[in-house]
Amino acid sequence: MQECEFKILENKMIAKEVFLMKLDGDCSEFTAPGQFCEIKIPGKYLRRPISVCDVSENTLTLIYKVLGEGTEELSCMEEGEYLSILTGLGNGYSVKDAPTNPVLCGGGVGVPPLYYLCKKLVEAGKHPYVALGFREKEDVFFEEEFRTLGVPVNVATEDGSHGQKGFVTSLLGNHNYAMVCGPEPMLRAVYEKVEGGQFSFEERMGCGFGACMGCSRKMKSGMKRICKDGPVFTWEEIEW
């Protein structure tokens, strides 16, 4: 973990209340897909945790949804402004431990970290299948970006306005190993349909690096900090 100054290169809306931000800075602490960063927003006491969508040399790509005052202010920031960011937080997914044909299952703003994961799996010679879930057509993003990686992609929307109608769990098919990120009800639903995998949890975080214990939850081996011990946990570790 380290604190760095990042320069905003781009900050644009890509779906309903969803923004993509590209930044220039030291990305050397990001060593695994599924890690996250903590952004200091001017005038706010607590940093905001944002999962990493992509890392390329000194370019960091984040995707975030406007959910409150902090992310609202973030969405109004312009090219050329600077942000203080804690980098390289969390454990991330293990590409090495994934089978040849995992399903990558994302819901809403749980989708972004799966993009970098998908890139790394393809680079490792594996053949992931991508299943994305959203509420409606206006919420859908990065469908085509996943397709450009040369992997099969299917989308489900709850109202049927884009892709298949229903929940993302309807897209799992016969895949028994899932690499997942999204809201907890989705994680649990996917968990019950597979026999193994890696699941990234979302929790409210105070510090983002394990000091405050505010994001602790019970796993089979005891209490774990989502920010420090996770956010990714294996199927075998999870206790609901």
Side-chain angles (χ1 to χ4, degrees):
M1 179 190 75
Q2 66 178 358
E3 183 176 8
C4 301
E5 291 289 315
F6 279 76
K7 181 182 179 180
I8 298 175
L9 303 176
E10 185 178 18
N11 191 24
K12 65 179 182 180
M13 182 182 290
I14 59 171
K16 187 173 68 175
E17 299 179 334
V18 175
F19 286 75
L20 179 147
M21 178 180 281
K22 287 189 177 182
L23 306 109
D24 176 73
D26 184 357
C27 298
S28 61
E29 288 295 301
F30 293 113
T31 57
Q35 290 182 299
F36 67 97
C37 63
E38 287 262 356
I39 300 178
K40 182 174 179 58
I41 298 175
K44 302 298 179 184
Y45 177 68
L46 294 177
R47 292 176 182 262
R48 266 52 177 185
I50 307 289
S51 59
V52 172
C53 177
D54 198 10
V55 177
S56 177
E57 296 182 355
N58 289 326
T59 302
L60 174 65
T61 302
L62 307 175
I63 293 177
Y64 62 95
K65 186 170 185 177
V66 175
L67 295 171
E69 291 183 4
T71 45
E72 175 69 34
E73 290 190 24
L74 195 62
S75 72
C76 295
M77 298 191 74
E78 300 179 348
E79 178 183 334
E81 294 188 71
Y82 284 82
L83 287 168
S84 170
I85 301 179
L86 294 180
T87 63
L89 302 175
N91 59 353
Y93 296 96
S94 172
V95 171
K96 176 177 65 70
D97 293 340
T100 302
N101 301 103
V103 55
L104 309 190
C105 187
V109 287
V111 169
L114 299 183
Y115 179 73
Y116 189 41
L117 171 61
C118 190
K119 288 180 68 174
K120 290 299 182 182
L121 288 167
V122 170
E123 288 175 8
K126 301 188 179 186
H127 307 283
Y129 156 66
V130 178
L132 308 177
F134 302 92
R135 289 184 178 177
E136 57 186 359
K137 181 179 180 179
E138 290 75 14
D139 297 322
V140 178
F141 62 90
F142 257 54
E143 177 182 1
E144 294 308 315
E145 284 80 356
F146 276 102
R147 293 192 198 282
T148 62
L149 300 179
V151 300
V153 181
N154 277 312
V155 176
T157 52
E158 293 178 27
D159 67 354
S161 56
H162 185 77
Q164 181 173 312
K165 183 176 181 179
F167 297 110
V168 71
T169 47
S170 65
L171 304 176
L172 295 180
N174 296 321
H175 291 83
N176 290 318
Y177 190 99
M179 306 181 83
V180 194
C181 187
E184 187 163 316
M186 190 205 82
L187 297 186
R188 187 163 187 170
V190 175
Y191 179 92
E192 293 172 352
K193 288 183 173 291
V194 298
E195 299 174 358
Q198 301 175 43
F199 292 69
S200 181
F201 282 76
E202 299 175 350
E203 288 284 348
R204 294 183 66 87
M205 297 178 186
C207 66
F209 48 86
C212 72
M213 309 296 287
C215 62
S216 297
R217 67 170 292 149
K218 188 178 181 182
M219 294 290 174
K220 288 181 179 177
S221 59
M223 297 300 293
K224 299 292 182 179
R225 298 161 295 178
I226 298 299
C227 69
K228 182 71 173 180
D229 304 310
V232 180
F233 295 88
T234 65
W235 187 86
E236 294 80 5
E237 292 178 278
I238 298 168
E239 180 172 310
W240 298 105

